Amino acid sequence: MASASTDASASESDYSNVVDMVEAGADPNGNESITSVVQQNIAEDTLLKFPEGEYYMDDQVRFTGFNNVGIVGDGATLVPADYHTFGSSRARLFRLGTNNNPGGSVWFEGFEVDQTASDTGIRVISAEVTDELVVRDVFVHGVHDSGTWGPALFNITDPDGSGIIDCFHAFDGAVHVDETPNSGRWRGATGIVLNGEHQGDITFKDCILGGFPGTGLYASGNNGRISVEGGWYENSATASIRLSGNEGSIENTIIAVDENNVQANGQHAIRLDQGNQFTVSNVTVDVPQQNGEAIRIMGGAESTTIANTRVVAEGQSAAIRVDDGAGEVDFVNSEVEINGSSYAFRILGDSPGAVSLEDVSVVGDAGGSPIQPAIFCERNNCQFEGLSVEQLGEGRRRGIELRGSDYLIADSEFETSRIPITVHNGSDVTIENTTAEAADGSSSVRIHNRSGSVSMENNEFPGGVDDRR
């Protein structure tokens, strides 16, 4: 079988045994459960083919410790039983490998999943494999309203293994567990999860997840590498994409928060929890119904780069927040549009990791009440080069407030409602080749009385410098 990469493929020739499931006795009309037929035929080095039809399942198929299994549909629809009828596990349609006994070489492709009936929703596939996982073209229809586990779990258990999840769609999302018959679970389903058993490389390509009350795409372990390429993720609780691991990347992806159908506070679009290196590039984050940060970088993220990215936020929370404890963060060639009175950037802590904004624009009509500065930075050793801040909304909106030490503002432009640059108990600040003007005619720079050294050279400050030291 071909290795799991963005051009991975598989065919019948990869298997010594090919089973037509209708010929094997599976009912293609959706009247009788096919679970027992599938369980009888799934085997090592075997491809199970599902011709066009509807296939009803009322219990899980479990197969572990195997090598080289394929399950492929051709116009096939899986119809899971509802919560009240499904087998006692109420857990999965397919469990292919476990963390203690993983499989290897899985090909799962070409299924519609019809869970439109009330109180229906099941984990379509749980695949824990050492290597060569290929999942393609799986489309889940209907709101997951059973309260059971969400649509998928994937783990690559070998550090040298790899997998691709290509076009896994569950756009209708799930409801909060309180609206389901399964009241025993916390909050409700997560869309796609990778846990602590994930060790290898996995790519999510052109996947789509609607709002889930747990999380959307959730990589929760401390190891492995996760790549998100393309796709659309929206409206999940905690985060629509939440990553941990050795490395993680998100590129050419759209993430949105425009409603809260999961009864959650803190619907971050992207949350980076803990890991050695994260990259976000060519991403659009649109949060018109903001209920949490658009991008939140937690204390366990050691190194993060965000480039060529656009964030649009309404301002109920900061657009981008860097937590105390996070390592170095670089924002490059990106734009934040902030239209409500909150921070475009909130940079916290005195961690040794430097934060830099290079060729970054902050635009929008945010006012200055209750949050005055567009950029708030209390972390030491930060640089702002090629920064453009245009915040001309009503009120006392300011540009940047510095509360730490060792700062550089260079080659930048500020147009704000009120004081563009504030040094508040800061020190070792250098401002050069920068223009800053307040629409209300107030000072261009204010230096509060407990601040240290501030060096200024070759700047244009029409409002002058209000030095209160």
Side-chain angles (χ1 to χ4, degrees), residues 223-248:
N223 299 302
R225 295 158 297 279
I226 302 97
S227 299
V228 180
E229 299 178 1
W232 180 291
Y233 300 80
E234 68 172 33
N235 294 331
S236 287
T238 306
S240 291
I241 299 178
R242 180 179 177 184
L243 300 185
S244 292
N246 288 332
E247 297 178 21

Side-chain angles (χ1 to χ4, degrees), residues 1-3 8-18 44-47 67-70 105 107 132 134:
M1 182 175 180
S3 63
S9 61
S11 67
E12 289 188 22
S13 62
D14 296 317
Y15 302 89
S16 60
N17 186 32
V18 178
E44 187 96 358
D45 202 20
T46 296
L47 172 64
N67 185 57
N68 205 24
V69 164
S105 298
W107 175 27
E132 296 184 335
V134 177

Side-chain angles (χ1 to χ4, degrees), residues 10 23 64 87 116 263 388 411:
E23 293 178 359
T64 63
T116 55
Q263 303 177 32
S388 175
D411 305 306

Side-chain angles (χ1 to χ4, degrees), residues 6 14-15 86 113 141 147 153 221 228 275 309 312 362 428 444:
T6 54
D14 296 317
Y15 302 89
F86 204 88
V113 182
H141 303 283
L153 177 148
V228 180
T309 288
V312 181
V362 178
D428 299 322
S444 297

